Amino acid sequence: MIERMTEICRGFRNPIIPGFHPDPSVCRVGDDYYLVTSSFEWFPGVPIFHSRDLVDWRQLGHVLDRPSQLDLDGVRASGGVYAPTIRHHDGVFYVITTLVGGPGHFVVTATDPAGPWSDPHWLPGIGGIDPSLLFDDDGRVWVCGAREKAEPRHPGDTEIWLRELDPVTLRPLGEERVVWDALQRGGVWSEGPHIYKIDGRYYLLTAEGGTSHDHAVMIARSEHVAGPYEPCPRNPILTNRHLGRDHPITCTGHADLVETQDGDWWMVLLAVRPYGGGDNLGRETFLTSVRWEDGWPIADPVAETATAPALPEHRWPAAPACDHFDTVRLSPVWNHLRTPREPYWSLGDGRLRLRLRPQTLAQRTNPSLIARRQQHMDFAAHTALDFTPGPGECAGLALVRSDDFHVLIVVTARGLELVRREAGVEAVRARTPLSAAWNGRPGRIWLGVEARGQEYQARYAEAPGQWRDLGDPVDGRILGTSVAGGFTGAYIGMYASSNGRPSGNTAEFDWFEYLPL
């Protein structure tokens, strides 16, 4: 009894998965929970997580980790992979999602959530975004999603559609049926649908109001999967839009429901933590409890701290703060911009080597960049770089939001430079010459950035521990949605480029550390 009370009274902090992890979807298999999120133009696509208590999560890897699965060539910033849904049926895991800017909806499958996952099974002739699967108890399979109306009354005038799939081939059957519209008069972006069968009824969960401050969660129910659906009289069942833009948690929406093995209900959803006039962390994954009244789910307000699910606590070993690059493969924390078509990186002798190529961060290409999400408002990141630049070449650290918004701390033939790119306009904010040891010979330099709120201070050292500031702090708001737009979040990582010229040069990184402050 004492152990049970400890489980019930244990608290947790939101977000449960910090940093850019939007549009979460979750499923339970026995005592295990699996969760996926959107990845947009970043590769590998669709990070997948595992938990046993809904609070502590470990990343298993990515669902789309092979170029044959995911073609992101030329995809614009905030294009690519939108809003995946994960479900489990008869021993098989299914993830359905959309490649925006590509062929559209597809399904991949696996018997082990850690992979390997299949190549895509495309769903031709079905438009829109945010698809979700329902495996009904009569053996039928349904897919629903959102799309803009053929004759929209205003921008963002969408509808929710439903279509049956062949349970073996997943080939679309029959005609699409429109089953839902925005509830709010003049409402926009009714999207992110999931259909559940609970106690013999079908429940349709949707997002509404757009993914920013007016975001909300709506629910409806029906006796039949194709409707008609009756809206909950207490809609929206979750929103923070009435709390103002200065609330510590905003934009709550795009949710998915899950029932624990003990019969309790919880909701994962996206939300944003604004700070310092910006929102650099992007849309993150949050958790809140759900209770039922009169046959309707009621979500509790999303809080920074809350009581954890009544499940046995299961913590995973903490990821090391420093990556010494002593493994044969990159950790799943690391991403590439768009699909890598050639091995521009290598691991060996405890080093990460980046080959300099003509591609740059300012282009819609796959540059020589290995980056990870910013996950804290205050953080420090450092690396040790061995590099001798040729004319026009650079290597170092990059803070990235998109091709038009990023910050570079890079070694060049002119010295160490701090470069800020905002709205496609690039400017060198600071430059310092390097010591004589760098004249035509390989040299080591330590690079770093320390962010406190929206002040990002670039730093460097030419000897261990002898850190100096490089210029004044950069306003980090250019890495957030409020300035840069889009649906992603800030990344930081290691970058090298020959800036449009052919090169045989290589930049070597001895280690990389990321620390919350």
Side-chain angles (χ1 to χ4, degrees):
M1 178 63 72
I2 293 176
E3 291 179 357
R4 178 66 173 169
M5 288 300 294
T6 300
E7 294 168 9
I8 293 174
C9 296
R10 183 170 68 97
F12 76 96
R13 294 190 64 86
N14 267 315
I16 53 172
I17 305 179
F20 156 59
H21 290 103
D23 310 322
S25 176
V26 66
C27 71
R28 178 176 66 85
V29 183
D31 294 339
D32 295 282
Y33 299 84
Y34 300 97
L35 184 148
V36 293
T37 67
S38 296
S39 51
F40 294 90
E41 70 266 34
W42 292 91
F43 184 96
V46 186
I48 182 164
F49 299 87
H50 175 213
S51 178
R52 292 201 174 116
D53 59 12
L54 283 173
V55 170
D56 298 292
W57 295 85
R58 62 168 178 168
Q59 187 173 353
L60 295 177
H62 294 82
V63 173
L64 308 173
D65 60 3
R66 304 187 303 276
S68 64
Q69 295 173 300
L70 183 57
D71 179 2
L72 296 172
D73 294 350
V75 166
R76 62 174 172 83
S78 291
V81 177
Y82 279 39
T85 295
I86 186 169
R87 295 293 183 256
H88 182 266
H89 179 69
D90 282 352
V92 177
F93 289 90
Y94 296 78
V95 167
I96 185 170
T97 187
T98 310
L99 181 55
V100 174
H105 303 310
F106 64 94
V107 180
V108 290
T109 60
T111 55
D112 182 344
W117 289 78
S118 70
D119 280 342
H121 176 91
W122 297 97
L123 302 179
I126 300 180
I129 57 172
D130 300 359
S132 180
L133 293 172
L134 170 68
F135 294 90
D136 209 340
D137 50 19
D138 61 1
R140 301 173 80 179
V141 181
W142 301 89
V143 58
C144 65
R147 67 182 178 201
E148 194 164 13
K149 294 178 180 177
E151 298 182 1
R153 297 162 294 184
H154 48 77
D157 189 13
T158 57
E159 60 194 10
I160 305 302
W161 52 264
L162 176 76
R163 193 165 184 183
E164 189 173 1
L165 298 179
D166 184 284
V168 177
T169 66
L170 298 181
R171 181 174 56 86
L173 302 174
E175 299 296 324
E176 287 182 0
R177 320 175 197 195
V178 175
V179 295
W180 193 246
D181 200 350
L183 270 175
Q184 185 177 357
R185 180 173 296 178
V188 297
W189 299 118
S190 180
E191 57 189 359
H194 298 296
I195 297 178
Y196 316 87
K197 193 169 189 182
I198 303 170
D199 293 336
R201 283 176 169 158
Y202 295 91
Y203 287 83
L204 171 63
L205 188 76
T206 66
E208 194 169 306
T211 195
S212 186
H213 295 284
D214 293 329
H215 216 188
V217 179
M218 306 290 188
I219 191 80
R221 70 187 181 191
S222 174
E223 298 298 323
H224 307 281
V225 67
Y229 280 88
E230 163 200 6
C232 175
R234 290 179 287 277
N235 274 317
I237 60 169
L238 180 68
T239 188
N240 276 12
R241 61 191 180 193
H242 60 294
L243 299 177
R245 296 176 183 268
D246 59 349
H247 194 270
I249 300 174
T250 64
C251 309
T252 52
H254 203 116
D256 198 5
L257 292 170
V258 65
E259 183 183 15
T260 72
Q261 55 268 43
D262 296 327
D264 297 328
W265 286 84
W266 290 81
M267 175 186 288
V268 296
L269 67 148
L270 72 79
V272 171
R273 292 182 292 164
Y275 67 102
D279 44 11
N280 306 25
L281 301 174
R283 301 171 302 160
E284 306 173 284
T285 292
F286 287 68
L287 177 71
T288 194
S289 56
V290 172
R291 52 199 170 85
W292 290 79
E293 291 183 356
D294 303 323
W296 293 107
I298 306 298
D300 287 331
V302 180
E304 294 177 273
T305 59
T307 301
L311 296 170
E313 181 178 8
H314 190 101
R315 297 197 179 194
W316 306 105
C322 187
D323 192 334
H324 292 280
F325 305 123
D326 52 4
T327 56
V328 296
R329 299 181 63 183
L330 287 171
S331 162
V333 74
W334 296 111
N335 286 171
H336 312 267
L337 254 180
R338 305 178 184 88
T339 305
R341 297 299 181 183
E342 55 183 348
Y344 67 80
W345 73 100
S346 63
L347 293 166
D349 303 321
R351 293 189 169 211
L352 170 67
R353 295 173 177 86
L354 295 185
R355 182 162 54 86
L356 274 70
R357 299 183 296 150
Q359 294 89 339
T360 74
L361 275 173
Q363 302 167 324
R364 292 184 181 178
T365 58
N366 167 240
S368 294
L369 171 75
I370 304 292
R372 56 154 295 155
R373 292 162 174 82
Q374 178 186 335
Q375 294 183 283
H376 303 85
M377 300 176 190
D378 303 327
F379 75 93
H382 304 96
T383 191
L385 168 64
D386 293 298
F387 175 59
T388 301
E393 297 179 344
C394 70
L397 288 177
L399 293 149
V400 183
R401 181 58 187 246
S402 69
D403 44 303
D404 281 338
F405 293 86
H406 52 256
V407 177
L408 304 179
I409 307 165
V410 287
V411 173
T412 74
R414 297 179 297 272
L416 180 62
E417 295 183 346
L418 174 63
V419 183
R420 180 176 183 264
R421 183 177 176 88
E422 180 178 1
V425 178
E426 205 161 278
V428 177
R429 294 288 302 274
R431 179 186 292 132
T432 187
L434 296 171
S435 68
W438 283 78
N439 291 335
R441 292 178 294 168
R444 167 160 290 199
I445 189 168
W446 290 260
L447 302 176
V449 60
E450 294 186 9
R452 298 188 184 273
Q454 294 296 348
E455 291 193 348
Y456 287 64
Q457 179 63 62
R459 308 191 74 199
Y460 73 101
E462 295 184 82
Q466 297 182 10
W467 289 99
R468 302 175 185 176
D469 290 345
L470 178 63
D472 296 326
V474 173
D475 186 345
R477 288 177 293 180
I478 68 166
L479 304 173
T481 306
S482 56
V483 173
F487 301 130
T488 59
Y491 272 74
I492 182 167
M494 296 150 289
Y495 172 64
S497 178
S498 55
N499 291 295
R501 306 178 182 183
S503 174
N505 203 356
T506 300
E508 296 190 2
F509 296 86
D510 195 5
W511 46 264
F512 181 100
E513 69 174 3
Y514 175 93
L515 300 164
L517 297 177

